[in-house]
Amino acid sequence: MNALAEKIAVCSWSLQPGDLSDLLRKLEFTGISRVQLALDPLRENPSAWADLKSNFESGRVTLVSGMFGCVGEDYSTPDSIRRTGGIAPDSTWNENLIRIRATAELASGLRLKLVTFHAGFLPHNETDPNFPQMLERLSIVAKIFADREIALGLETGQETADALAVFLNRLNAPNLGVNFDPANMLLYDKGDPVKAVRVLAPWIRQVHIKDAKRPQTPGNWGEEVPAGTGEVDWPAFFRALEEFHFDGNLVIEREACSQRIADVKTAKALIERCLA
């Protein structure tokens, strides 16, 4: 089995746990003991996750990374998340900054080396008046995590790979990279995931294993589907990762169904087949 297959993990939020014991139980059902952890529930309700550190330090479960969301995000439509997503809106920037500082402290306490988030809409043109503002804000956020020796990964999706690469080159923050999600490229209709891997390869810190179909109507969402039933060319995708010697984690994410444990197991089997 390819060494990458040993780095399979699952997003905690995909399992919709109510507390730590619920997460541990659902992880057992998936057969996966490695997890990317949503940090917002820990910050907002620490009592429900009180024994987290001892469980993870015991080796029962391995924490591979963290994730946080931003204030006021509305995913109803691509346009609504464009207006409300991440750290782009002025109306939520100050509150987001307070939460981000608290999240970075939490991540440091858990000894995480990577945390990911959706930065929000990145201007596609350097002449856009919002371009320097987003550069400044992302620089601030990246430094908050860099000061704690934590890498920060931007979720792919709202921009093309070329536009994101321009932004990352201009920002030039050593700890800032990409959490590559091939399904998001399709859901937002922002290009070919395999070609995007080749553009963003220098920055890819982690990969989400998620599948989707492109939107049938421009301006609408595409459809997230079980891994292997969408438009991601998985064999070509894994070949592209190996071409650039990617050795990060493959983290299964499933957000749009009522049989998530079954679909996580389907994704795990897909990875193992492709990498056998």
Side-chain angles (χ1 to χ4, degrees):
M1 181 67 68
N2 186 294
L4 264 183
E6 298 175 3
K7 296 194 173 185
I8 297 173
V10 62
C11 299
S12 67
W13 59 95
S14 293
L15 301 177
Q16 299 176 297
D19 55 20
L20 175 59
S21 61
D22 190 28
L23 173 61
L24 294 173
R25 181 178 61 85
K26 288 175 175 176
L27 284 171
E28 287 184 5
F29 286 136
T30 67
I32 300 171
S33 62
R34 308 173 80 254
V35 64
Q36 179 178 14
L37 188 67
L39 298 173
D40 297 323
L42 277 70
R43 192 190 66 247
E44 296 164 359
N45 187 18
S47 62
W49 301 86
D51 297 326
L52 177 80
K53 198 168 182 181
S54 62
N55 273 278
F56 283 80
E57 287 179 343
S58 72
R60 181 180 179 185
V61 181
T62 301
L63 269 180
V64 303
S65 59
M67 182 279 288
F68 68 91
C70 290
V71 180
E73 293 181 315
D74 178 2
Y75 279 91
S76 302
T77 66
D79 183 63
S80 67
I81 194 58
R82 183 185 186 281
R83 289 183 284 102
T84 64
I87 58 174
D90 292 338
S91 60
T92 55
W93 165 239
N94 288 332
E95 186 178 356
N96 272 321
L97 191 56
I98 292 169
R99 292 193 181 194
I100 287 168
R101 293 186 191 281
T103 299
E105 195 62 33
L106 175 60
S108 179
L110 293 171
R111 299 179 182 176
L112 293 177
K113 294 301 180 186
L114 173 67
V115 173
T116 72
F117 84 119
H118 283 276
F121 181 79
L122 301 179
H124 293 187
N125 193 318
E126 294 187 59
T127 62
D128 189 311
N130 290 324
F131 193 95
Q133 176 176 273
M134 280 299 285
L135 277 178
E136 180 184 14
R137 289 182 181 178
L138 265 177
S139 179
I140 291 169
V141 175
K143 187 176 186 306
I144 289 170
F145 285 89
D147 287 345
R148 293 163 177 81
E149 299 183 343
I150 300 172
L152 189 63
L154 303 183
E155 293 276 355
T156 51
Q158 290 189 352
E159 54 282 315
T160 64
D162 288 334
L164 181 54
V166 167
F167 208 90
L168 290 166
N169 270 315
R170 278 292 307 275
L171 190 58
N172 194 28
N175 74 314
L176 188 65
V178 167
N179 179 80
F180 192 96
D181 188 321
N184 282 354
M185 305 295 295
L186 299 169
L187 291 168
Y188 286 95
D189 202 12
K190 292 298 180 181
D192 177 357
V194 176
K195 291 180 179 178
V197 166
R198 296 190 167 96
V199 173
L200 295 171
W203 295 281
I204 297 176
R205 303 293 184 94
Q206 179 178 271
V207 168
H208 273 173
I209 302 299
K210 187 170 73 179
D211 209 342
K213 297 179 180 179
R214 297 182 190 278
Q216 296 184 358
T217 306
N220 290 344
W221 284 118
E223 179 189 4
E224 187 195 338
V225 295
T229 66
E231 296 177 23
V232 177
D233 183 342
W234 290 107
F237 181 76
F238 286 119
R239 283 197 300 271
L241 290 176
E242 293 191 317
E243 179 181 333
F244 292 97
H245 308 291
F246 172 76
D247 65 352
N249 289 294
L250 304 173
V251 186
I252 298 166
E253 184 178 35
R254 186 72 168 111
E255 298 184 291
C257 74
S258 58
Q259 52 176 29
R260 297 193 181 190
I261 290 175
D263 284 356
V264 167
K265 292 171 76 172
T266 295
K268 179 175 181 286
L270 171 72
I271 297 169
E272 291 171 341
R273 283 198 309 274
C274 288
L275 296 179

